[in-house]
Amino acid sequence: MSLTKWNIVGQAKFVGLQNFIDLFRDTNFTRSLVNTLYFMFLTVPALVIGGLLIAMLVDQSLKGRVVTRTLVFMPYVIMSTVVGVIWLWILDARFGILNYYLSFLGIRPIAWLSSVNWAMPAVAIATIWWTIGFNMILFLAGLQDIPNELKEAARIDGASSWQVFWSITFPLLSPTMIVVVMLTLINTFQVFAQVYVMTGGGPAMATLTVVQYMYVQSFQYYRLGYGSAIAYVVFIFLIAFILLERKLLKRSGDLN
Amino acid sequence: MNEKKKKRVVRALLYLFMIICIIVSFAPILWMSVSAFKPEGEILSYPPQWIPLHPTWSNFAYVLKNFNFARWTFNSVFAALMATIIVILIDSLAAFAFSKMKFRGSKTLYAIILSMLMVPIQVTIVPLYLMFADVNLLNTITALILPTTGNVTGVFILTNFFRSVPENLLDAAIVDGAGSFRIWWSIMLPLARPSISAVAIITFMSNWTNFLWPLISVSSDASRTLPVGIAQFFGGQSGVSGSAPQYGPAMAAALMATLPAIAIFLFLQRYFVKGVMMTGIKG
């Protein structure tokens, strides 16, 4: 289908690779790709490192760890579009609570969703809040698989907590790490609902993402052939992530 | 002494981190709930009030009166439930066949099914749309259910589980005269209950929160689902009159859409956690 020109009514017309050629000349498409990568840059490190830190926190024998685990995971069960609506309200430029509390830190009100510079970070904040619990659970499972005796033994040998982390926990956690990183990459690359609700791709296309562009081209302009070509690009990216993951997992499996 | 002091500082810092996590996670949910009960004049009060001065149900009434909210909820629940039931039946049957029966091409078929794990729905959405348009199923609840029933993850998880069921258990059942169908129903399904619960939760949640496909496949209000209805009427980009969203009703709608999910989550937390871990393993 990606090789046809087709706008729902009438017949599909074979156009060879024309859609793909157009795609790479289409500055809006390039824009959406760059935006998506920027979104990933904002969310992936925070989701992975943050998820790991919280998992390590609730892995300690502290009071309240079960409550913390439950509450951190809770946003994940909320629908993506509801997440968008909640954060629209929190981030409201004039009446939102975030700007209110930031004002205590001496930060002037930020027009989160209508500013070209802040719209993407705003979507990123909502996304991190929404999905970090998912990564926490995966890391927690990984942490609990590491036998306690290993850590104990190292401690008896006089290793500091820091050394225990870097030379025991971290290496043994690497398969989990790879899985979490890849799942996060795959999910963030497909960001759509939050953007649809919070910004609609605006302002001035500052938050237009790839999947959203595919949606707009296919189902608002009904350029189905062109939309399929975009879908192919998405597919190629995702397959690349997955193959990379397989390769890394295999290598880390060989090492252990 | 110094060592002890250091330990205490570390502990204090850990608790501080914990408190921050709790506040950041829960404050937005609490703020949504509080806002839902605020009357029109109060919602935009500044500075923000965490306790509504004159709590009211009017936002809820407004949502239920002006939007087909009950219908969207019914569609969402019905579609997700049906999809879950179908997935469990199909996936457990398939998994039973793949794990315990030998038939021609079973390995190839299993490999093909597993490779479908890599194909996300976004990629297939345009052809899927055309297929449903061809058979006149757009705008129906069937359109909301069918595509999610091709759930490969479940086949994978259940096949792995069924493989661990000892053969002599099945042999004993065969000696007692049980057929394949009987074995599947009275031995395999009960044994796999924990795995099935996890698969059920994954399926239910992914259908329940699904957005792109329902947005495309359904345009009539009667078959709209909750995520789409909320996005279209309370999201920033459209709004009923094209104006800024009305936060009070929006939060009431958000709360009504969220509470059931949170309640289910709190009751079945164990299975949620298990489900998440299983999605991690599949990768």
Side-chain angles (χ1 to χ4, degrees):
Chain A
M1 262 182 70
S2 60
L3 307 179
T4 60
K5 179 176 174 161
W6 194 3
N7 37 19
I8 208 120
V9 279
Q11 283 293 309
K13 189 175 141 222
F14 187 77
V15 292
L17 290 173
Q18 193 57 44
N19 281 329
F20 288 94
I21 296 167
D22 288 348
L23 201 54
F24 285 98
R25 288 202 190 124
D26 181 348
T27 50
N28 288 343
F29 175 70
T30 336
R31 183 79 194 268
S32 74
L33 203 55
V34 171
N35 282 343
T36 307
L37 294 175
Y38 176 51
F39 173 77
M40 292 167 82
F41 167 77
L42 291 174
T43 49
V44 175
L47 282 171
V48 171
I49 298 169
L52 177 60
L53 286 178
I54 300 174
M56 286 167 64
L57 176 75
V58 296
D59 194 33
Q60 306 283 328
S61 54
L62 296 170
K63 270 184 205 137
R65 66 198 177 117
V66 178
V67 178
T68 315
R69 197 186 64 196
T70 306
L71 288 179
V72 171
F73 186 74
M74 202 187 265
Y76 189 72
V77 307
I78 302 176
M79 295 169 176
S80 53
T81 54
V82 173
V83 170
V85 173
I86 296 174
W87 282 88
L88 267 180
W89 171 215
I90 291 174
L91 296 171
D92 188 278
R94 279 167 58 208
F95 304 105
I97 44 169
L98 188 63
N99 275 347
Y100 174 71
Y101 288 112
L102 286 178
S103 72
F104 288 114
L105 304 173
I107 298 171
R108 284 155 169 273
I110 298 169
W112 289 100
L113 297 163
S114 51
S115 129
V116 176
N117 292 327
W118 286 107
M120 194 58 108
V123 177
I125 291 173
T127 307
I128 293 169
W129 175 77
W130 181 39
T131 56
I132 200 164
F134 180 81
N135 285 357
M136 171 197 72
I137 294 288
L138 290 179
F139 276 126
L140 195 59
L143 285 172
Q144 287 172 350
D145 276 348
I146 298 173
N148 248 331
E149 297 83 54
L150 278 177
K151 292 190 223 169
E152 289 300 322
R155 253 180 230 127
I156 289 165
D157 288 346
S160 67
S161 322
W162 196 241
Q163 282 168 326
V164 172
F165 175 75
W166 278 116
S167 42
I168 294 181
T169 313
F170 197 72
L172 286 177
L173 204 60
S174 64
T176 313
M177 181 63 98
I178 296 166
V179 170
V180 173
V181 170
M182 291 306 146
L183 282 179
T184 313
L185 286 175
I186 290 169
N187 290 333
T188 50
F189 190 77
Q190 301 179 69
V191 55
F192 174 64
Q194 305 95 295
V195 180
Y196 179 92
V197 173
M198 291 174 72
T199 62
M205 284 194 273
T207 55
L208 183 74
T209 64
V210 177
V211 170
Q212 192 187 12
Y213 195 52
M214 178 188 85
Y215 166 75
V216 170
Q217 288 293 335
S218 310
F219 299 104
Q220 283 182 348
Y221 300 142
Y222 287 106
R223 297 173 66 191
L224 294 174
Y226 199 59
S228 294
I230 301 174
Y232 256 98
V233 176
V234 173
F235 187 50
I236 288 165
F237 266 90
L238 296 179
I239 289 290
F241 291 145
I242 292 169
L243 292 181
L244 188 70
E245 175 194 22
R246 292 272 149 96
K247 208 169 168 189
L248 289 173
L249 271 181
K250 215 170 178 188
R251 190 186 294 165
S252 89
D254 291 345
L255 281 177
N256 288 339
Chain B
M1 192 61 205
N2 210 355
E3 191 66 9
K4 229 178 187 172
K5 208 171 174 188
K6 201 174 143 196
K7 235 178 186 164
R8 215 185 283 159
V9 172
V10 169
R11 243 183 141 65
L13 285 176
L14 284 178
Y15 275 114
L16 183 69
F17 182 39
M18 191 182 256
I19 290 167
I20 292 174
C21 286
I22 290 177
I23 292 177
V24 171
S25 301
F26 195 59
I29 298 178
L30 190 63
W31 185 237
M32 162 186 75
S33 318
V34 168
S35 304
F37 288 100
K38 285 186 179 173
E40 212 180 331
E42 205 177 306
I43 186 126
L44 295 181
S45 66
Y46 207 79
Q49 295 293 329
W50 280 90
I51 298 165
L53 293 173
H54 310 282
T56 161
W57 292 99
S58 64
N59 291 322
F60 297 91
Y62 178 89
V63 171
L64 293 175
K65 200 175 133 225
N66 291 284
F67 303 99
N68 232 339
F69 198 85
R71 180 81 212 181
W72 304 341
T73 312
F74 171 79
N75 290 338
S76 274
V77 172
F78 182 73
L81 267 183
M82 286 307 289
T84 309
I85 293 170
I86 297 174
V87 161
I88 290 203
L89 289 180
I90 295 181
D91 285 12
S92 65
L93 278 172
F96 181 39
F98 282 128
S99 59
K100 293 295 177 202
M101 291 175 181
K102 295 189 174 59
F103 57 94
R104 259 182 160 206
S106 66
K107 277 194 177 144
T108 326
L109 202 57
Y110 189 58
I112 292 175
I113 286 188
L114 278 200
S115 70
M116 274 157 46
L117 277 174
M118 296 205 239
V119 185
I121 185 167
Q122 270 78 352
V123 176
T124 53
I125 214 144
V126 178
L128 203 59
Y129 176 82
L130 292 168
M131 278 158 64
F132 275 83
D134 270 348
V135 291
N136 275 325
L137 278 177
L138 290 178
N139 270 323
T140 62
I141 293 195
T142 318
L144 299 174
I145 299 171
L146 266 189
T148 37
T149 54
N151 178 316
V152 196
T153 319
V155 178
F156 176 67
I157 291 175
L158 292 176
T159 305
N160 273 348
F161 179 82
F162 285 164
R163 278 192 181 139
S164 70
V165 175
E167 291 289 339
N168 33 7
L169 199 65
L170 303 190
D171 292 340
I174 292 169
V175 169
D176 289 347
S180 298
F181 199 76
R182 184 75 201 275
I183 294 178
W184 166 74
W185 180 255
S186 344
I187 299 182
M188 295 310 241
L189 281 187
L191 275 178
R193 203 176 287 156
S195 299
I196 286 179
S197 317
V199 173
I201 291 219
I202 303 174
T203 315
F204 187 90
M205 286 305 291
S206 71
N207 194 295
W208 173 254
T209 61
N210 202 357
F211 178 61
L212 183 57
W213 172 248
L215 175 70
I216 292 162
S217 62
V218 165
S219 52
S220 76
D221 201 48
S223 338
R224 195 170 272 139
T225 61
L226 265 182
V228 179
I230 285 179
Q232 293 185 332
F233 293 108
F234 303 104
Q237 67 167 3
S238 52
V240 198
S241 53
S243 60
Q246 295 169 281
Y247 289 121
M251 289 306 118
L255 184 60
M256 284 192 279
T258 302
L259 270 187
I262 288 188
I264 295 175
F265 162 65
L266 289 177
F267 278 115
L268 303 176
Q269 202 181 147
R270 212 153 45 97
Y271 296 115
F272 269 86
V273 170
K274 204 162 172 209
V276 168
M277 286 174 180
M278 282 176 170
T279 31
I281 300 163
K282 101 186 182 203

